[in-house]
């Protein structure tokens, strides 16, 4: 009974935070359509968050009805001249409008106005993601150019070692003049219970001993992973895998992936306590920096540094450029992932439906506001990109029609549009059913 109550509570938690995330993303998307349409001279009759029976509504001074509906799984903007929420033209209504009134509809507006209004939805999704990334970058900062210890993480190491404020000049004799060199040197050092750090402390240079610079320390835990489900946490230090001691993070990879999905026993240290876990790795397609993939069994851990580096604040346009680069990488990775799934290079289990996304949202919320906001940014990027696909009923489909009109000088016929919209709706519904089946079959 307790397990049933806990499971029900987790489902409710996940659903609530998924709906919060989805509502924010949809509201931003639809507001993009609305505000650019308004700037372009196109009148919005209804701005709806959700579908179905209306719970709350008010009409503003411009005559737009803002409403919240009972089914919180999307939203829409209904412009003047639209027949329904899908933006199909209302021929009867359009025929009764004057020339000036038709200019205020999507179908009587100039091509540039329609194109800008439709494109604004996905663009606002990208803007939301960039804004979140920029705020996170400003909040966290970036490491100083030199490898200086900003804070020490708890670690099971005996004897004097690094202290806050130490500048690391070399590791095992290899110079580390900047943080990039520190990373390269740390990556090249073989596993060992201790290494020698040549440091500058309060103006004096000296040698101290310490753990490997890239130790088996948990820096992050992936959502919906075996490690997350087992409550392994950032800051935990892995001591051994199946009885084999590990001194650096990368040593765990072959020990886990080499088991072929069989359970592994993890011993770790947490704030002075030694704990034991048995985890069953999951086969996963992992993205690499070159946009390719590596498929192996994982438990969902990412590495952390031995210490928190001394950070500096971002200045000027640094937060924006950092955020744009992060968003661009996310868009590229999403596109490459979808293409790789489509051609069978990687498993389609990486594509989640509503159930999977709800679980991710719930896990992200449990991990903290930063993780949740980063999840919202990533989901917003994905929704923005998917909406640009040239499929009728999606924004990209409408843009495809406008491109046709720009080339030929006239829009597609209404009959042809109806056929394409029906086909597009079938494609979108099939995609949603496929993603939902992944949530059930892939686990």
């Amino acid at each position: 009974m307790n397990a049933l109550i806990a499971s029900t509570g987790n489902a409710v938690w996940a659903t609530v935070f998924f709906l919060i995330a989805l509502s924010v993303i949809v509201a931003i998307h639809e507001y993009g359509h609305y505000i650019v349409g308004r700037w372009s001279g196109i009148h919005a009759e209804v701005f709806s968050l959700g579908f179905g029976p209306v719970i709350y509504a008010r009409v503003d001074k411009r005559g737009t009805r803002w409403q919240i509906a009972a089914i919180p799984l999307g939203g829409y903007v209904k412009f003047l001249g639209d027949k329904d929420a899908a933006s199909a033209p209302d021929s009867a209504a359009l025929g009764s409008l004057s020339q000036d009134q038709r200019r205020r509809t999507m179908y009587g507006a100039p091509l540039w106005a329609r194109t800008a209004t439709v494109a604004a939805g996905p663009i606002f999704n990208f803007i939301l993601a960039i804004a979140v990334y920029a705020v996170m970058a400003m909040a966290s900062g970036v490491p100083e150019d030199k490898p200086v210890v900003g804070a020490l993480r708890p670690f099971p190491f005996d004897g004097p070692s690094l202290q806050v404020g130490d500048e690391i000049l070399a590791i095992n004799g290899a110079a580390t003049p900047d943080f990039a060199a520190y990373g390269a040197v740390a990556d090249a050092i073989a596993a060992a219970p201790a290494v020698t750090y040549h440091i500058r402390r309060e103006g004096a240079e000296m040698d101290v001993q310490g753990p490997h610079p890239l130790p088996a320390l948990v820096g992050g835990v992936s959502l919906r992973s075996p490690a997350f489900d087992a409550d392994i946490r950032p800051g935990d230090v892995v001591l051994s895998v199946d009885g084999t001691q590990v001194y650096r993070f990368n040593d765990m990879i072959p020990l886990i992936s080499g088991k072929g999905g069989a359970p592994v026993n993890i011993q770790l240290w947490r704030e002075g306590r030694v704990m034991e876990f048995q985890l069953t790795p999951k086969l996963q397609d992992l993205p690499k920096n070159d946009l390719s993939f590596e498929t192996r069994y994982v438990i969902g851990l990412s590495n952390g540094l031995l210490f928190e580096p001394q950070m500096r604040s971002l200045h000027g346009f640094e937060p924006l450029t950092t955020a744009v680069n992060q968003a661009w990488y996310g868009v590229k990775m999403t596109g490459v992932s979808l293409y790789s799934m489509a051609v069978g290079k990687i498993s389609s289990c990486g594509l989640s439906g509503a159930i999977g996304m709800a679980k991710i949202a719930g896990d992200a919320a449990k991990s903290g506001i930063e993780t949740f906001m980063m999840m919202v940014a990533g989901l917003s990027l994905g929704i923005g990109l998917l909406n640009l696909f040239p499929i009728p009923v999606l924004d990209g489909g409408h843009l495809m029609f406008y491109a046709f009109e720009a080339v030929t000088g006239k829009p597609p016929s209404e009959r042809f549009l109806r056929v394409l919209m029906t086909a597009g709706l079938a494609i979108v519904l099939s995609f949603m059913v496929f993603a939902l089946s992944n949530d059930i079959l892939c686990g």
Side-chain angles (χ1 to χ4, degrees), residues 82-384:
D82 289 351
K83 186 175 183 179
D84 49 36
S87 296
D90 188 343
S91 301
L94 288 169
S96 65
L97 298 177
S98 68
Q99 190 65 30
D100 288 342
Q101 290 173 323
R102 282 182 63 86
R103 170 58 183 85
R104 300 180 67 216
T105 69
M106 277 290 284
Y107 308 96
L111 183 60
W112 68 265
R114 286 177 276 147
T115 301
T117 300
V118 170
I123 289 173
F124 269 53
N125 282 136
F126 299 146
I127 291 173
L128 170 61
I130 291 170
V132 171
Y133 292 148
V135 169
M136 293 301 179
M138 287 189 289
S140 61
V142 293
E144 294 278 6
D145 293 336
K146 295 182 181 297
V148 178
V149 178
L152 290 169
R153 295 188 170 101
F155 205 91
F157 184 82
D158 295 329
S161 188
L162 296 171
Q163 296 181 10
V164 174
D166 289 349
E167 179 186 348
I168 300 173
L169 305 175
I171 309 174
N172 281 359
T176 56
D178 53 38
F179 220 94
Y182 175 90
V185 169
D187 194 51
I189 293 177
V195 300
T196 301
Y197 293 89
H198 185 62
I199 63 170
R200 181 181 289 116
R201 177 182 297 168
E202 298 178 350
E205 295 187 15
M206 64 185 73
D207 287 340
V208 297
Q209 297 294 298
H212 193 283
L214 294 176
L217 184 145
V218 178
V221 181
S222 300
L223 304 178
R224 297 188 68 192
S225 67
F228 186 93
D229 293 339
D231 196 31
I232 294 179
R233 306 170 187 175
D236 290 347
V237 180
V238 178
L239 302 176
S240 67
V241 177
D242 281 338
T244 301
Q245 283 188 303
V246 291
Y247 297 109
R248 65 173 187 170
F249 188 88
N250 284 349
D251 290 343
M252 293 193 294
I253 295 175
L255 296 175
I256 294 171
S257 62
K259 292 295 291 289
V264 294
N265 296 301
I266 305 291
Q267 184 185 69
L268 59 80
W269 180 93
R270 177 186 297 166
E271 299 177 348
R273 293 183 298 149
V274 175
M275 308 175 71
E276 303 277 351
F277 295 86
Q278 186 178 79
L279 307 178
T280 301
K282 294 172 62 176
L283 192 63
Q284 190 169 338
D285 300 302
L286 304 173
K288 299 165 68 174
N289 289 334
D290 62 358
L291 299 182
S292 63
F293 290 88
E294 176 187 9
T295 302
R296 56 181 169 86
Y297 284 96
V298 299
I299 58 174
L301 301 180
S302 58
N303 67 306
L305 291 175
L306 174 62
F307 59 88
E308 294 180 21
Q310 195 172 84
M311 308 294 283
R312 68 169 179 85
S313 300
L314 295 174
H315 303 289
F317 289 103
E318 283 186 306
L320 180 60
T321 56
T322 299
V324 168
N325 289 335
Q326 189 170 358
W328 177 235
Y329 177 79
V331 168
K332 289 192 296 184
M333 201 70 250
T334 301
V336 170
S337 298
L338 291 174
Y339 171 77
S340 299
M341 290 179 196
V343 299
K345 287 185 178 180
I346 62 175
S347 170
S348 62
C349 285
L351 181 65
S352 296
I355 296 174
M357 290 308 305
K359 290 180 180 178
I360 291 172
D363 288 352
K366 289 179 181 178
S367 298
I369 184 64
E370 290 185 12
T371 303
F372 182 73
M373 291 307 299
M374 293 296 281
M375 185 277 301
V376 169
L379 184 57
S380 186
L381 280 179
I383 289 177

Side-chain angles (χ1 to χ4, degrees), residues 421-438:
M421 295 291 272
T422 301
L425 182 61
I427 292 172
V428 171
L429 291 177
S430 298
F431 183 83
M432 293 173 64
V433 170
F434 177 74
L436 192 62
S437 69
N438 276 351

